[in-house]
Amino acid sequence: MTLQNDLLLRAARGEKTERVPVWLMRQAGRILPEYRAVREKAGSFIALATTPEMAAEVTLQPVDILGVDAAIIFSDILVVPEAMGLPYEMIEQRGPVFPKTVRSAADLDHLHIADADTDLGYVLEAIRLVKRELNNRVPLIGFAGAPFTIFCYMTEGKGSKTFSVAKKLLYTDPAFSHSLLQKITDSTIGYLKAQVQAGANIVQIFDSWAGILSPEQYRTYSLPYIKQICDAITEVPVTVFAKGAFFARQEIGQLSCSVVGLDWNMDPTESRRLVPDKTLQGNLDPCVLYAGFDQIRAEVRRMIQAFGTQRYIANLGHGVYPDTDPEKVKCFIETVKEYSA
Ligand SMILES: Cc1c2[nH]c(c1CCC(=O)O)Cc1[nH]c(c(CCC(=O)O)c1C)Cc1[nH]c(c(CCC(=O)O)c1C)Cc1[nH]c(c(C)c1CCC(=O)O)C2
């Protein structure tokens, strides 16, 4: 069962690679017309995400069409709260909404620790289908939200610039906050282990809202829970991507993860110094892909010069934006492959 292209896994483990592996956060389901066709057929995001055959199809599209070095399972971080008993809706052009929220100890009684096989079986089935179709061409990335980022959505009930409801709870009800974070963590560990069992070769933790916390709060309310996940997932490499948490790079680098994801605010050289013995992933500004082809090539070359070609996985510094031209994405991928070889 050896992979034909295992560049990403070798880079994650700190082994030598002939060139830099490349994939894009949110590569499945944002930019491709082929995605929109399947999405149309499904009728809604949730129908698409919960139908394993269709979720598998859109997972494979970026591998076939863009030539990335890994697939990432098509799903969402919000399937975990739903599996715990808090359903979400996806409002067109607006994003996710939770009709009910969790803001007190009493609300916690309505939640359970997710059982991956029964509550998230549709994701596991999609993973098994993708693995069959991939036929060992490239690795499959599994993922989950970091407990703090999931806490943000469960308490706030929707997206927010400040997540002030979520942050207020950290200050006013630490006991409740820690109880909810622990329930999310236990659910997430079981879910990620089940993803690995179903065939995920590496898993990424998205702490998308890390950057709204102070260093002290991050140390109290996010890192300890990410640490539990890293310590529990021993079967495959773990990537921790904490958007905006430039202040926590050194501490994240001391977790038992293999890869640290960086956003574009984080300087490559400084990040190497702060995280000396792990693989780094990132970090091109997604807006670079709005520039002309020559400028994209120049920015990619500069990024690779800064990171070097070893212990490095090329990516954007956050998810690809929905209005990005797929040809620009291909240019990004091709330049990484050619320039780093
Ligand atoms: C915060 C977050 C969410 N979801 C996710 C995060 C963490 C990464 C990040 O910071 O961007 C993660 C995610 N969501 C989705 C994936 C698919 C796999 C991939 O391509 O990486 C992944 C990895 C599908 C999706 N998740 C969503 C869509 C669009 C829904 C649609 O097709 O109608 C897709 C393809 C919806 C979603 N889901 C979420 C939001 C805020 C939204 C609305 C805006 C948006 O499009 O991003 C929550």
Side-chain angles (χ1 to χ4, degrees), residues 103 148 151 155-156 162-174 176-177 212-213 217 221:
R103 295 182 183 175
F148 172 67
F151 175 96
T155 54
E156 196 90 26
T162 55
F163 280 100
S164 50
V165 174
K167 286 178 71 179
K168 176 180 170 181
L169 285 162
L170 302 183
Y171 286 112
T172 59
D173 202 344
F176 158 81
S177 298
I212 64 174
L213 294 180
Q217 276 190 316
Y221 292 107

Side-chain angles (χ1 to χ4, degrees), residues 81-96:
E82 170 163 83
M84 295 170 70
L86 198 74
Y88 70 101
E89 293 166 9
M90 201 61 88
I91 313 290
E92 208 77 29
Q93 318 291 351
R94 262 194 52 208

